[in-house]
Amino acid sequence: MKTWKKKLEELKILHRIGRLNLILWVIFTIVAIGWVFCASFSTSKEIFSDKVLASGFHLNNYVRVMKTYNIAKYFMNSLIYTGFACVGVIVLIAPASYVLANYAFKGRNIIRSAYISTMGIPGIMLMIPLFMIISKLGLNKTPVAIILIYVCTSAPFTIFYLLSFFSTIPKSIQEAALIDGCSHIKAFWRTIFPLAQPGLITVTIFNFISLWNEYMWALVFVNTDRRRTLSLGLQAIVDGMKNSGDWAGLFAAVVIVFVPTFILYILLSEKIMSGITGGAVKG
């Protein structure tokens, strides 16, 4: 009896320590993000003197960044590239993942292993071959090139995630749709696809965050003033700090980069958690 009481006390202590660590991490994160947010409304002088917002809010930081550094254009570029890529990944990979998860055919395991194993290939190894292919197709420095690359690089993780999620959907649902006269394609899009919404939303958010902050592929394939992404634009602002010293503008640009993914996660956090737990246990 004493042994169980001792173990229970130890678990309570560990629980308190874990909760304390979590609270400290949350406080640190809120303070750090809050300081960056406040700095984006301050002046560079106030930032260096550690007196942020001493003279009030300066909305002109955001206006200056939009006009001087063309952040609005880069924002739209990133939104277009990332949006089309996320939609393209779902349209192409969702049916493939369902087939690989629920249909038995020769070579299925080899295909599944091949797709998932590509997650371990460093992107830098593919840089030169992809650049040569894109150049021969005449797509270099075009939106089509970066969207295709984003779709292809997001496919392995998307398949890895959706395989486990689609395996939880009962086959009887598709069988009922087939009995009602649907083809396999119609059965997927009309019955299975809507049921997989939590998993699809979750993997899309993960892909969106990854692609929104992507830097390497954009640097090689769309590094022009007209096609540049938001991450490249932010790096250009950082480089410009060497001459201008506009640190308030830099923090304003950082907030512009950070806010979309933050809002997206806050609004869809419940669907993300349901999507993760939904694919965790095979029913």
Side-chain angles (χ1 to χ4, degrees):
M1 193 70 177
K2 292 182 179 179
T3 304
W4 283 107
K5 288 184 177 180
K6 186 177 180 180
K7 290 183 177 180
L8 185 61
E9 290 296 326
E10 291 177 351
L11 288 175
K12 289 181 178 179
I13 293 173
L14 290 174
H15 178 72
R16 291 169 185 169
I17 294 174
R19 186 162 53 181
L20 177 61
N21 290 334
L22 180 61
I23 292 173
L24 291 175
W25 175 250
V26 170
I27 293 174
F28 170 79
T29 303
I30 292 175
V31 171
I33 295 176
W35 189 90
V36 171
F37 184 78
C38 292
S40 70
F41 290 99
S42 302
T43 63
S44 297
K45 183 178 179 181
E46 290 172 344
I47 293 172
F48 279 101
S49 60
D50 197 20
K51 296 179 180 179
V52 293
L53 298 179
S55 59
F57 286 83
H58 296 268
L59 296 175
N60 61 313
N61 290 337
Y62 288 88
V63 177
R64 186 173 64 256
V65 167
M66 292 289 185
K67 292 182 177 180
T68 305
Y69 298 102
N70 210 17
I71 285 295
K73 177 62 178 177
Y74 302 151
F75 184 93
M76 289 305 301
N77 287 342
S78 290
L79 190 61
I80 291 171
Y81 302 156
T82 305
F84 275 99
C86 288
V87 173
V89 168
I90 293 300
V91 171
L92 294 174
I93 301 304
S97 300
Y98 182 72
V99 170
L100 290 173
N102 293 282
Y103 288 86
F105 56 90
K106 189 175 182 180
R108 183 183 71 163
N109 292 333
I110 296 175
I111 295 175
R112 292 174 61 171
S113 301
Y115 265 108
I116 295 174
S117 63
T118 56
M119 294 175 62
I121 300 176
I124 194 67
M125 291 179 60
L126 306 175
M127 188 68 68
I128 295 177
L130 280 176
F131 183 81
M132 294 175 64
I133 294 172
I134 294 297
S135 298
K136 288 182 179 181
L137 293 174
L139 298 176
N140 197 22
K141 308 298 182 183
T142 65
V144 176
I146 195 66
I147 291 173
L148 286 175
I149 290 172
Y150 281 174
V151 170
C152 293
T153 54
S154 301
F157 171 74
T158 305
I159 284 182
F160 171 75
Y161 181 84
L162 292 181
L163 279 176
S164 60
F165 191 88
F166 278 128
S167 63
T168 65
I169 299 178
K171 293 182 179 180
S172 58
I173 295 176
Q174 185 193 25
E175 293 172 354
L178 294 174
I179 293 173
D180 289 338
C182 289
S183 63
H184 287 276
I185 297 176
K186 286 184 178 180
F188 172 78
W189 289 111
R190 292 185 179 181
T191 60
I192 304 302
F193 191 81
L195 291 174
Q197 184 185 29
L200 297 173
I201 291 176
T202 301
V203 77
T204 299
I205 292 174
F206 287 152
N207 286 334
F208 183 90
I209 294 173
S210 175
L211 298 178
W212 183 263
N213 298 315
E214 196 279 324
Y215 179 82
M216 183 178 66
W217 297 112
L219 178 65
V220 174
F221 291 99
V222 288
N223 191 17
T224 63
D225 189 60
R226 184 183 176 188
R227 305 296 187 188
R228 193 172 290 165
T229 63
L230 197 55
S231 57
L232 295 178
L234 183 60
Q235 182 60 48
I237 296 176
V238 173
D239 295 336
M241 295 300 103
K242 300 175 183 177
N243 300 319
S244 66
D246 186 12
W247 293 98
L250 173 62
F251 285 115
V254 169
V255 172
I256 293 173
V257 175
F258 165 74
V259 163
T261 53
F262 179 74
I263 293 177
L264 187 67
Y265 186 85
I266 293 298
L267 294 178
L268 300 176
S269 59
E270 292 185 3
K271 288 186 177 294
I272 293 174
M273 296 307 300
S274 64
I276 293 174
T277 56
V281 181
K282 185 175 181 179

